[in-house]
Coordinates of all heavy atoms in Angstrom, one line a residue:
S1 N -25.4 19.7 -40.5 CA -25.6 19.5 -41.9 C -25.3 18.1 -42.3 O -24.6 17.4 -41.5 CB -24.9 20.5 -42.8 OG -23.6 20.1 -42.9
E2 N -25.7 17.7 -43.4 CA -25.4 16.3 -43.9 C -23.9 16.0 -44.1 O -23.4 15.0 -43.8 CB -26.1 16.0 -45.2 CG -26.0 14.6 -45.7 CD -26.8 14.4 -47.0 OE1 -27.8 15.0 -47.2 OE2 -26.3 13.5 -47.8
D3 N -23.1 17.1 -44.5 CA -21.7 16.9 -44.6 C -21.0 16.6 -43.3 O -20.1 15.8 -43.2 CB -21.1 18.2 -45.2 CG -21.5 18.4 -46.7 OD1 -21.9 17.4 -47.3 OD2 -21.4 19.5 -47.1
R4 N -21.5 17.2 -42.3 CA -20.9 16.9 -41.0 C -21.2 15.5 -40.5 O -20.3 14.8 -40.0 CB -21.4 17.9 -39.9 CG -20.9 19.3 -40.0 CD -21.4 20.1 -38.9 NE -20.9 21.5 -39.1 CZ -21.3 22.5 -38.3 NH1 -22.1 22.3 -37.4 NH2 -20.8 23.7 -38.5
T5 N -22.4 15.0 -40.7 CA -22.8 13.7 -40.4 C -21.9 12.6 -41.2 O -21.4 11.7 -40.7 CB -24.2 13.4 -40.6 OG1 -25.0 14.4 -39.9 CG2 -24.7 12.0 -40.2
L6 N -21.8 13.0 -42.5 CA -21.0 12.1 -43.4 C -19.6 12.0 -43.0 O -19.0 10.9 -42.9 CB -21.1 12.5 -44.8 CG -20.3 11.7 -45.9 CD1 -20.8 10.3 -45.9 CD2 -20.3 12.4 -47.2
C7 N -19.0 13.1 -42.6 CA -17.6 13.2 -42.1 C -17.5 12.3 -40.9 O -16.5 11.6 -40.8 CB -17.2 14.6 -41.9 SG -15.5 14.8 -41.3
T8 N -18.3 12.5 -39.9 CA -18.2 11.7 -38.8 C -18.4 10.2 -39.0 O -17.7 9.3 -38.5 CB -19.3 12.1 -37.7 OG1 -19.1 13.5 -37.5 CG2 -19.2 11.4 -36.4
N9 N -19.4 9.8 -39.9 CA -19.6 8.4 -40.2 C -18.4 7.8 -40.9 O -18.0 6.7 -40.6 CB -20.8 8.3 -41.1 CG -22.1 8.4 -40.4 OD1 -22.2 8.3 -39.1 ND2 -23.2 8.8 -41.1
V10 N -17.7 8.5 -41.8 CA -16.6 8.0 -42.5 C -15.4 7.8 -41.5 O -14.7 6.8 -41.5 CB -16.1 9.0 -43.6 CG1 -14.7 8.6 -44.1 CG2 -17.1 9.1 -44.7
M11 N -15.3 8.7 -40.5 CA -14.2 8.5 -39.5 C -14.4 7.2 -38.7 O -13.4 6.5 -38.3 CB -14.1 9.7 -38.6 CG -13.4 10.9 -39.3 SD -13.0 12.2 -38.2 CE -14.7 12.9 -38.0
F12 N -15.7 6.9 -38.3 CA -15.9 5.8 -37.5 C -16.2 4.5 -38.3 O -16.0 3.4 -37.8 CB -17.1 6.1 -36.5 CG -16.8 7.1 -35.5 CD1 -17.2 8.4 -35.6 CD2 -15.9 6.8 -34.4 CE1 -16.9 9.4 -34.6 CE2 -15.6 7.7 -33.5 CZ -16.0 9.0 -33.5
H13 N -16.8 4.6 -39.5 CA -17.2 3.5 -40.2 C -16.9 3.6 -41.7 O -17.7 3.7 -42.5 CB -18.7 3.2 -40.1 CG -19.1 2.9 -38.7 ND1 -18.8 1.7 -38.0 CD2 -19.7 3.7 -37.7 CE1 -19.3 1.8 -36.8 NE2 -19.8 3.0 -36.6
P14 N -15.6 3.6 -42.1 CA -15.2 3.8 -43.5 C -15.6 2.6 -44.4 O -15.8 2.8 -45.5 CB -13.7 3.9 -43.4 CG -13.3 3.3 -42.2 CD -14.4 3.5 -41.2
E15 N -15.9 1.5 -43.7 CA -16.4 0.3 -44.5 C -17.7 0.4 -45.1 O -18.1 -0.3 -46.1 CB -16.3 -1.0 -43.6 CG -17.3 -1.1 -42.6 CD -17.0 -0.3 -41.3 OE1 -16.0 0.3 -41.2 OE2 -17.9 -0.4 -40.4
L16 N -18.5 1.4 -44.6 CA -19.8 1.6 -45.2 C -19.8 2.4 -46.5 O -20.8 2.6 -47.1 CB -20.7 2.4 -44.2 CG -21.0 1.7 -42.8 CD1 -21.7 2.6 -41.9 CD2 -21.7 0.4 -43.0
Y17 N -18.7 2.9 -46.9 CA -18.5 3.7 -48.1 C -17.7 3.0 -49.1 O -16.5 2.8 -48.9 CB -18.0 5.1 -47.7 CG -18.9 5.8 -46.7 CD1 -18.7 5.6 -45.4 CD2 -20.0 6.5 -47.2 CE1 -19.6 6.2 -44.5 CE2 -20.8 7.1 -46.3 CZ -20.6 6.9 -44.9 OH -21.5 7.5 -44.1
P18 N -18.3 2.5 -50.2 CA -17.5 1.6 -51.2 C -16.3 2.3 -51.7 O -15.3 1.6 -52.0 CB -18.6 1.5 -52.3 CG -19.9 1.7 -51.7 CD -19.7 2.7 -50.5
Q19 N -16.3 3.6 -51.9 CA -15.1 4.3 -52.4 C -13.9 4.2 -51.4 O -12.8 4.4 -51.8 CB -15.4 5.8 -52.7 CG -15.8 6.6 -51.6 CD -17.3 6.6 -51.3 OE1 -18.0 5.6 -51.5 NE2 -17.8 7.7 -50.8
L20 N -14.2 3.8 -50.2 CA -13.1 3.7 -49.2 C -12.9 2.3 -48.8 O -12.2 2.0 -47.9 CB -13.5 4.5 -47.9 CG -13.7 5.9 -48.1 CD1 -14.2 6.6 -46.8 CD2 -12.4 6.6 -48.5
S21 N -13.5 1.3 -49.6 CA -13.4 -0.1 -49.2 C -12.0 -0.7 -49.1 O -11.7 -1.7 -48.5 CB -14.3 -0.9 -50.2 OG -13.7 -0.9 -51.5
K22 N -11.0 0.0 -49.8 CA -9.7 -0.5 -49.8 C -8.8 0.2 -48.8 O -7.6 0.0 -48.8 CB -9.1 -0.3 -51.2 CG -9.7 -1.2 -52.2 CD -9.2 -1.1 -53.6 CE -10.0 -2.0 -54.6 NZ -9.4 -2.0 -55.9
T23 N -9.4 0.9 -47.9 CA -8.7 1.7 -46.9 C -8.1 0.7 -45.9 O -8.8 -0.4 -45.6 CB -9.5 2.8 -46.2 OG1 -8.7 3.5 -45.4 CG2 -10.7 2.2 -45.5
Y24 N -7.1 1.0 -45.2 CA -6.5 0.1 -44.2 C -7.1 0.4 -42.8 O -7.0 -0.5 -42.0 CB -5.0 0.4 -44.1 CG -4.6 1.7 -43.6 CD1 -4.5 1.9 -42.3 CD2 -4.5 2.8 -44.5 CE1 -4.1 3.2 -41.8 CE2 -4.2 4.1 -44.0 CZ -4.0 4.3 -42.6 OH -3.7 5.5 -42.2
C25 N -7.9 1.4 -42.7 CA -8.4 1.8 -41.4 C -9.8 1.2 -41.2 O -10.6 1.3 -42.1 CB -8.4 3.3 -41.3 SG -9.0 3.9 -39.7
K26 N -10.1 0.7 -40.0 CA -11.4 0.3 -39.7 C -12.2 1.4 -39.0 O -13.4 1.2 -38.9 CB -11.3 -0.9 -38.7 CG -10.7 -2.2 -39.3 CD -10.7 -3.2 -38.3 CE -10.1 -4.5 -38.8 NZ -10.1 -5.6 -37.8
G27 N -11.6 2.4 -38.6 CA -12.3 3.5 -37.9 C -11.3 4.0 -36.8 O -10.5 3.2 -36.3
I28 N -11.5 5.2 -36.4 CA -10.5 5.8 -35.4 C -10.7 5.0 -34.1 O -9.7 4.9 -33.4 CB -10.7 7.3 -35.3 CG1 -12.1 7.7 -34.8 CG2 -10.4 8.0 -36.5 CD1 -12.3 9.1 -34.5
Q29 N -11.9 4.6 -33.8 CA -12.0 3.9 -32.5 C -11.2 2.6 -32.5 O -10.6 2.2 -31.4 CB -13.5 3.5 -32.2 CG -14.1 2.5 -33.0 CD -14.6 3.0 -34.4 OE1 -14.3 4.0 -34.8 NE2 -15.6 2.3 -35.0
H30 N -11.0 1.9 -33.6 CA -10.2 0.7 -33.7 C -8.7 1.0 -33.6 O -8.0 0.3 -33.0 CB -10.4 0.0 -35.0 CG -11.8 -0.7 -35.1 ND1 -12.1 -1.9 -34.5 CD2 -13.0 -0.2 -35.6 CE1 -13.3 -2.2 -34.7 NE2 -13.9 -1.2 -35.4
D31 N -8.3 2.2 -34.1 CA -6.9 2.6 -34.0 C -6.6 2.9 -32.6 O -5.5 2.6 -32.1 CB -6.7 3.8 -34.9 CG -6.7 3.5 -36.4 OD1 -6.5 2.3 -36.8 OD2 -6.9 4.4 -37.2
I32 N -7.5 3.6 -31.9 CA -7.3 3.9 -30.5 C -7.1 2.6 -29.7 O -6.2 2.5 -28.9 CB -8.4 4.8 -29.9 CG1 -8.3 6.2 -30.6 CG2 -8.3 5.0 -28.4 CD1 -9.5 7.1 -30.3
M33 N -8.1 1.7 -29.9 CA -8.0 0.5 -29.1 C -6.7 -0.4 -29.5 O -6.2 -1.0 -28.6 CB -9.3 -0.4 -29.4 CG -10.6 0.2 -28.9 SD -10.6 0.5 -27.1 CE -10.7 -1.2 -26.6
K34 N -6.3 -0.3 -30.7 CA -5.1 -1.0 -31.1 C -3.8 -0.4 -30.3 O -3.0 -1.1 -29.8 CB -4.9 -0.9 -32.6 CG -3.7 -1.6 -33.1 CD -3.6 -1.5 -34.6 CE -2.3 -2.2 -35.1 NZ -2.2 -2.1 -36.6
S35 N -3.9 0.9 -30.2 CA -2.8 1.6 -29.5 C -2.8 1.2 -28.0 O -1.8 0.9 -27.4 CB -2.9 3.1 -29.6 OG -2.7 3.5 -30.9
L36 N -4.0 1.2 -27.4 CA -4.2 0.8 -26.0 C -3.8 -0.7 -25.8 O -3.3 -1.0 -24.7 CB -5.6 1.1 -25.6 CG -6.0 2.5 -25.5 CD1 -7.5 2.6 -25.1 CD2 -5.2 3.3 -24.4
S37 N -4.0 -1.5 -26.8 CA -3.8 -3.0 -26.6 C -2.2 -3.2 -26.4 O -1.8 -4.3 -26.0 CB -4.3 -3.7 -27.7 OG -3.5 -3.6 -28.9
K38 N -1.4 -2.3 -26.8 CA 0.0 -2.4 -26.6 C 0.4 -2.4 -25.1 O 1.5 -2.8 -24.8 CB 0.8 -1.2 -27.2 CG 0.4 -1.0 -28.7 CD 1.1 -1.9 -29.6 CE 0.8 -1.6 -31.0 NZ 1.2 -2.5 -31.9
F39 N -0.6 -2.0 -24.2 CA -0.4 -2.0 -22.9 C -1.1 -3.1 -22.1 O -1.4 -3.0 -20.9 CB -0.7 -0.7 -22.2 CG 0.1 0.4 -22.7 CD1 -0.2 1.2 -23.8 CD2 1.3 0.7 -22.1 CE1 0.5 2.2 -24.2 CE2 2.1 1.8 -22.5 CZ 1.8 2.5 -23.6
D40 N -1.4 -4.2 -22.8 CA -2.1 -5.4 -22.2 C -1.4 -5.9 -21.0 O -2.0 -6.5 -20.1 CB -2.4 -6.5 -23.2 CG -3.6 -6.2 -24.0 OD1 -4.4 -5.3 -23.6 OD2 -3.8 -6.9 -25.1
H41 N -0.1 -5.8 -21.0 CA 0.7 -6.4 -19.9 C 0.5 -5.6 -18.6 O 0.9 -6.0 -17.5 CB 2.1 -6.5 -20.3 CG 2.8 -5.2 -20.6 ND1 2.6 -4.6 -21.8 CD2 3.5 -4.4 -19.8 CE1 3.3 -3.4 -21.8 NE2 3.9 -3.2 -20.6
D42 N 0.0 -4.3 -18.7 CA -0.1 -3.5 -17.5 C -1.5 -2.9 -17.6 O -1.8 -1.8 -18.2 CB 0.9 -2.4 -17.5 CG 0.9 -1.7 -16.2 OD1 -0.1 -1.6 -15.5 OD2 2.0 -1.2 -15.8
E43 N -2.5 -3.6 -16.9 CA -3.9 -3.1 -17.0 C -4.1 -1.7 -16.4 O -4.9 -1.0 -16.9 CB -4.7 -4.1 -16.2 CG -6.2 -3.9 -16.4 CD -6.7 -4.3 -17.7 OE1 -6.1 -5.0 -18.5 OE2 -7.8 -3.8 -18.1
Y44 N -3.3 -1.4 -15.4 CA -3.5 -0.1 -14.7 C -3.1 1.0 -15.7 O -3.8 2.0 -15.9 CB -2.5 0.1 -13.5 CG -2.5 1.4 -12.9 CD1 -3.6 1.9 -12.1 CD2 -1.5 2.3 -13.2 CE1 -3.6 3.1 -11.6 CE2 -1.5 3.6 -12.7 CZ -2.6 4.0 -11.9 OH -2.6 5.3 -11.4
I45 N -2.0 0.9 -16.5 CA -1.6 1.9 -17.5 C -2.7 2.0 -18.6 O -3.0 3.1 -19.0 CB -0.2 1.6 -18.0 CG1 0.8 1.9 -16.9 CG2 0.1 2.5 -19.2 CD1 2.2 1.5 -17.3
R46 N -3.1 0.8 -19.0 CA -4.0 0.8 -20.1 C -5.3 1.5 -19.7 O -5.9 2.3 -20.5 CB -4.4 -0.7 -20.5 CG -5.3 -0.8 -21.6 CD -5.4 -2.3 -22.0 NE -6.2 -2.4 -23.2 CZ -7.5 -2.8 -23.2 NH1 -8.1 -3.1 -22.0 NH2 -8.2 -2.9 -24.3
N47 N -5.8 1.2 -18.5 CA -7.1 1.9 -18.0 C -6.9 3.4 -17.8 O -7.8 4.2 -18.1 CB -7.6 1.2 -16.7 CG -8.2 -0.1 -17.0 OD1 -8.6 -0.4 -18.1 ND2 -8.1 -1.0 -16.0
T48 N -5.7 3.7 -17.3 CA -5.4 5.2 -17.1 C -5.4 5.9 -18.5 O -6.0 7.0 -18.6 CB -4.1 5.3 -16.4 OG1 -4.1 4.7 -15.1 CG2 -3.8 6.8 -16.2
L49 N -4.7 5.3 -19.5 CA -4.7 5.9 -20.7 C -6.1 6.0 -21.4 O -6.5 7.0 -21.9 CB -3.8 5.2 -21.7 CG -2.3 5.3 -21.4 CD1 -1.5 4.3 -22.2 CD2 -1.8 6.7 -21.5
R50 N -6.8 4.9 -21.3 CA -8.2 4.9 -21.9 C -9.1 5.9 -21.3 O -9.9 6.5 -21.9 CB -8.8 3.5 -21.7 CG -10.1 3.3 -22.5 CD -10.8 2.0 -22.2 NE -11.8 1.7 -23.2 CZ -13.0 2.2 -23.1 NH1 -13.3 3.2 -22.2 NH2 -13.9 1.9 -24.0
N51 N -9.0 6.1 -20.0 CA -9.9 7.1 -19.2 C -9.4 8.6 -19.3 O -10.0 9.4 -18.8 CB -10.0 6.7 -17.8 CG -10.8 5.4 -17.6 OD1 -11.7 5.2 -18.4 ND2 -10.4 4.6 -16.7
N52 N -8.3 8.8 -20.1 CA -7.7 10.1 -20.2 C -7.4 10.5 -21.6 O -6.5 11.1 -22.0 CB -6.4 10.3 -19.4 CG -6.7 10.3 -17.9 OD1 -7.2 11.2 -17.4 ND2 -6.5 9.2 -17.2
I53 N -8.3 10.1 -22.5 CA -8.2 10.4 -24.0 C -8.6 11.8 -24.2 O -9.6 12.2 -23.7 CB -9.0 9.4 -24.9 CG1 -8.5 8.0 -24.8 CG2 -9.1 9.9 -26.3 CD1 -9.3 7.0 -25.4
L54 N -7.8 12.6 -24.8 CA -8.0 14.0 -25.1 C -8.4 14.1 -26.6 O -7.5 13.7 -27.5 CB -6.8 14.8 -24.8 CG -6.9 16.3 -25.1 CD1 -7.9 17.0 -24.2 CD2 -5.5 16.9 -24.9
V55 N -9.5 14.7 -26.9 CA -9.9 15.0 -28.3 C -9.6 16.4 -28.5 O -10.0 17.3 -27.8 CB -11.4 14.7 -28.4 CG1 -11.8 15.0 -29.8 CG2 -11.7 13.2 -28.1
S56 N -8.8 16.7 -29.6 CA -8.5 18.1 -29.9 C -8.5 18.3 -31.4 O -8.5 17.3 -32.1 CB -7.1 18.4 -29.3 OG -6.1 17.6 -29.9
G57 N -8.3 19.5 -31.8 CA -8.3 19.8 -33.2 C -9.7 20.0 -33.7 O -10.7 20.1 -33.0
G58 N -9.8 20.1 -35.1 CA -11.1 20.3 -35.7 C -12.1 19.3 -35.5 O -13.4 19.7 -35.5
N59 N -11.7 18.1 -35.3 CA -12.7 17.0 -35.1 C -13.6 17.3 -33.8 O -14.7 16.9 -33.8 CB -12.1 15.6 -35.0 CG -11.5 15.2 -36.3 OD1 -11.9 15.7 -37.4 ND2 -10.6 14.2 -36.3
C60 N -13.0 17.8 -32.8 CA -13.8 18.0 -31.6 C -14.9 19.1 -31.8 O -15.8 19.2 -30.9 CB -12.9 18.4 -30.4 SG -12.1 20.0 -30.6
L61 N -14.9 19.8 -32.9 CA -16.0 20.8 -33.2 C -17.1 20.1 -33.9 O -18.2 20.8 -34.0 CB -15.4 21.9 -34.0 CG -14.2 22.7 -33.4 CD1 -13.7 23.7 -34.5 CD2 -14.6 23.4 -32.2
I62 N -17.0 18.9 -34.3 CA -18.1 18.2 -34.9 C -19.1 17.9 -33.9 O -18.7 17.3 -32.8 CB -17.6 17.0 -35.7 CG1 -16.7 17.3 -36.8 CG2 -18.8 16.1 -36.2 CD1 -16.0 16.1 -37.4
P63 N -20.4 18.3 -34.1 CA -21.4 17.9 -33.0 C -21.4 16.4 -32.6 O -21.4 15.6 -33.6 CB -22.7 18.4 -33.7 CG -22.3 19.4 -34.7 CD -21.0 19.0 -35.2
N64 N -21.4 16.2 -31.4 CA -21.5 14.8 -30.8 C -20.3 13.9 -31.1 O -20.4 12.7 -31.0 CB -22.8 14.1 -31.3 CG -24.0 14.9 -30.9 OD1 -24.1 15.3 -29.7 ND2 -25.0 15.0 -31.7
F65 N -19.2 14.5 -31.6 CA -18.0 13.7 -31.9 C -17.5 13.0 -30.7 O -17.3 11.7 -30.7 CB -16.9 14.6 -32.4 CG -15.7 13.8 -32.8 CD1 -15.6 13.1 -34.0 CD2 -14.6 13.7 -31.9 CE1 -14.5 12.3 -34.3 CE2 -13.5 13.0 -32.3 CZ -13.4 12.3 -33.5
T66 N -17.4 13.7 -29.6 CA -16.8 13.0 -28.4 C -17.8 11.9 -27.9 O -17.3 10.8 -27.5 CB -16.6 14.1 -27.3 OG1 -15.7 15.0 -27.8 CG2 -15.9 13.5 -26.0
E67 N -19.1 12.2 -27.9 CA -20.0 11.2 -27.4 C -20.0 10.0 -28.4 O -20.1 8.9 -27.9 CB -21.4 11.8 -27.4 CG -21.6 12.9 -26.4 CD -21.1 14.3 -26.8 OE1 -20.6 14.5 -27.9 OE2 -21.2 15.2 -26.0
T68 N -19.9 10.2 -29.6 CA -19.9 9.1 -30.6 C -18.6 8.3 -30.4 O -18.6 7.0 -30.4 CB -19.9 9.6 -32.0 OG1 -21.1 10.4 -32.2 CG2 -19.9 8.4 -33.1
L69 N -17.5 8.9 -30.2 CA -16.2 8.2 -29.9 C -16.4 7.4 -28.6 O -16.0 6.2 -28.6 CB -15.0 9.2 -29.8 CG -13.7 8.6 -29.4 CD1 -13.3 7.6 -30.5 CD2 -12.6 9.7 -29.3
S70 N -16.9 8.0 -27.6 CA -17.1 7.2 -26.4 C -18.0 6.0 -26.5 O -17.7 4.9 -26.1 CB -17.7 8.2 -25.3 OG -17.9 7.5 -24.1
A71 N -19.1 6.2 -27.3 CA -20.0 5.1 -27.5 C -19.4 4.0 -28.3 O -19.5 2.8 -28.1 CB -21.3 5.6 -28.2
E72 N -18.6 4.3 -29.4 CA -18.0 3.4 -30.2 C -16.9 2.6 -29.4 O -16.7 1.4 -29.6 CB -17.3 4.1 -31.5 CG -18.3 4.6 -32.4 CD -19.1 3.6 -33.2 OE1 -18.6 2.4 -33.3 OE2 -20.2 3.8 -33.7
M73 N -16.1 3.3 -28.6 CA -15.1 2.6 -27.8 C -15.8 1.7 -26.8 O -15.3 0.6 -26.5 CB -14.3 3.7 -27.0 CG -13.5 4.6 -27.9 SD -11.9 4.1 -28.4 CE -11.1 3.8 -26.8
S74 N -16.9 2.1 -26.2 CA -17.6 1.2 -25.3 C -18.1 -0.1 -25.9 O -18.2 -1.1 -25.3 CB -18.8 2.0 -24.6 OG -18.3 3.0 -23.8
Q75 N -18.5 0.0 -27.2 CA -18.9 -1.2 -27.9 C -17.8 -2.1 -28.2 O -18.0 -3.4 -28.1 CB -19.6 -0.8 -29.3 CG -20.9 -0.2 -29.2 CD -21.5 0.2 -30.5 OE1 -20.9 0.0 -31.6 NE2 -22.7 0.7 -30.5
L76 N -16.6 -1.6 -28.3 CA -15.4 -2.4 -28.5 C -14.9 -3.1 -27.2 O -14.3 -4.1 -27.2 CB -14.3 -1.7 -29.2 CG -14.5 -1.2 -30.6 CD1 -13.3 -0.3 -31.0 CD2 -14.7 -2.4 -31.5
D77 N -15.2 -2.3 -26.1 CA -14.7 -2.8 -24.8 C -15.7 -2.5 -23.8 O -15.5 -1.6 -22.9 CB -13.3 -2.1 -24.5 CG -12.5 -2.8 -23.4 OD1 -13.0 -3.8 -22.9 OD2 -11.5 -2.2 -23.1
P78 N -16.9 -3.2 -23.8 CA -18.0 -2.9 -23.0 C -17.8 -2.9 -21.5 O -18.6 -2.3 -20.7 CB -19.1 -3.8 -23.4 CG -18.4 -4.9 -24.1 CD -17.1 -4.4 -24.6
Q79 N -16.8 -3.7 -21.0 CA -16.6 -3.8 -19.6 C -15.9 -2.7 -18.9 O -15.7 -2.6 -17.8 CB -15.9 -5.1 -19.3 CG -16.7 -6.4 -19.7 CD -16.0 -7.6 -19.5 OE1 -14.8 -7.7 -19.1 NE2 -16.7 -8.7 -19.6
K80 N -15.3 -1.8 -19.8 CA -14.5 -0.7 -19.3 C -15.3 0.6 -19.2 O -16.4 0.7 -19.9 CB -13.3 -0.4 -20.2 CG -12.4 -1.6 -20.4 CD -11.7 -2.0 -19.0 CE -10.9 -3.2 -19.2 NZ -10.5 -3.7 -17.9
K81 N -14.9 1.5 -18.4 CA -15.6 2.8 -18.2 C -15.6 3.6 -19.5 O -14.7 3.5 -20.3 CB -15.0 3.6 -17.1 CG -15.2 3.1 -15.7 CD -14.4 3.8 -14.7 CE -14.4 5.3 -14.8 NZ -13.7 6.0 -13.8
S82 N -16.6 4.4 -19.6 CA -16.7 5.3 -20.8 C -15.5 6.4 -20.7 O -14.9 6.6 -19.6 CB -18.0 6.1 -20.8 OG -19.0 5.2 -21.0
I83 N -15.2 6.9 -21.8 CA -14.2 8.0 -22.0 C -14.7 9.2 -21.3 O -15.8 9.5 -21.5 CB -13.8 8.2 -23.4 CG1 -13.3 6.9 -24.0 CG2 -12.8 9.3 -23.6 CD1 -13.1 6.9 -25.5

């Protein structure tokens, strides 16, 4: 349904919705990459963490959520393997 699509879009691209323009979040993919960047000094750990992301909770029930997350993460870091 349209609500499911909107929910997913907001999580990945809150900047597209004017009512959320003052939000501090750029999208969950950016938050994940920011967390992973804390391990820049150890590429092995960073890659291991990136390749072992676990999606759980209600969000994983949204159709194509995991695929969208993987695609968005790949756009931010195209040289790395998909999730």
Side-chain angles (χ1 to χ4, degrees):
S1 79
E2 186 177 326
D3 291 338
R4 287 184 182 176
T5 303
L6 176 64
C7 180
T8 304
N9 286 339
V10 169
M11 286 189 283
F12 290 105
H13 299 286
E15 71 277 2
L16 297 177
Y17 301 90
Q19 63 273 31
L20 300 173
S21 63
K22 295 183 181 181
T23 184
Y24 67 91
C25 182
K26 293 181 180 180
I28 60 172
Q29 70 277 19
H30 291 279
D31 290 338
I32 293 170
M33 292 300 287
K34 184 177 176 181
S35 295
L36 292 173
S37 73
K38 307 282 185 193
F39 293 93
D40 274 347
H41 61 281
D42 192 332
E43 190 70 20
Y44 175 77
I45 291 175
R46 182 174 185 260
N47 287 336
T48 300
L49 291 172
R50 188 183 193 286
N51 291 324
N52 288 287
I53 294 172
L54 175 67
V55 179
S56 64
N59 292 340
C60 68
L61 300 175
I62 297 171
N64 300 317
F65 180 82
T66 304
E67 293 81 3
T68 303
L69 178 60
S70 180
E72 292 290 336
M73 297 270 307
S74 294
Q75 286 181 358
L76 294 175
D77 197 3
Q79 296 179 352
K80 302 297 178 189
K81 288 174 46 179
S82 296
I83 299 169

